Amino acid sequence: MNLAARRYPQLLAVALCVGLAAANAVRTGSTGVLLLAGAALVSGLAFEGPQRLGALAVGLALVGWWWGSARLDTIDRSPLAPQVGRAAQFRVVVTGPARSGRYDVRVPALVIRFGGLRVSEPVLLKLPRGRAPPQGALLEGFGQLAHPHGARNG
């Protein structure tokens, strides 16, 4: 039994990840890519051995490319994007555990309202150091939207 046959789940996962990463370089908005992926996945069932693995890997890479492109397009159309830099009243629901840092507490949250907008957008809420709110807490306050920080080292 060769290495590819023993490691086929990992190879298929890598193919999906490569497709997701490809969306960062080149986006596709075409349903044709999804149809092509479906054809590759179905044709993979007709083959045996390495040809089957290759067809399934190509199909998963195409699905990942389509899915990653669709997700990035959704992020780009965020209703909060034009509000960056503006301060307003907000209402959020804490959606995850808090992480305490040296100077602040960071909490994943879902914005329900920002100013006059009613939205449903995930954000990273930065609070002053102190007791962290529990998951599921509804918080109201006055705050400013900011873009996330980029990578520290490039």
Side-chain angles (χ1 to χ4, degrees):
M1 187 179 268
N2 66 5
L3 182 64
R6 285 184 301 189
R7 301 283 188 212
Y8 75 92
Q10 291 88 347
L11 292 173
L12 294 177
V14 165
L16 183 64
C17 291
V18 165
L20 287 169
N24 288 320
V26 178
R27 291 190 196 177
T28 180
S30 171
T31 55
V33 172
L34 193 56
L35 292 173
L36 199 61
L41 292 171
V42 169
S43 70
L45 300 176
F47 294 121
E48 290 293 326
Q51 292 86 5
R52 174 180 281 182
L53 183 61
L56 292 175
V58 167
L60 284 175
L62 289 172
V63 166
W65 185 32
W66 173 82
W67 184 19
S69 296
R71 184 69 190 126
L72 288 173
D73 288 342
T74 301
I75 291 170
D76 288 344
R77 289 190 306 263
S78 169
L80 290 177
Q83 305 296 324
V84 171
R86 183 174 163 247
Q89 290 289 115
F90 67 85
R91 180 179 296 150
V92 297
V93 176
V94 176
T95 59
R99 287 187 224 116
S100 296
R102 181 179 285 176
Y103 304 109
D104 59 6
V105 175
R106 296 170 186 228
V107 183
L110 185 71
V111 175
I112 296 171
R113 185 176 55 84
F114 185 79
L117 293 174
R118 294 196 184 284
V119 294
S120 180
E121 291 284 323
V123 295
L124 179 64
L125 190 63
K126 291 184 182 179
L127 302 170
R129 186 162 170 83
R131 184 171 173 216
Q135 190 170 348
L138 182 65
L139 304 176
E140 293 186 10
F142 189 82
Q144 181 178 7
L145 282 176
H147 282 293
H149 295 290
R152 289 184 184 170
N153 298 322

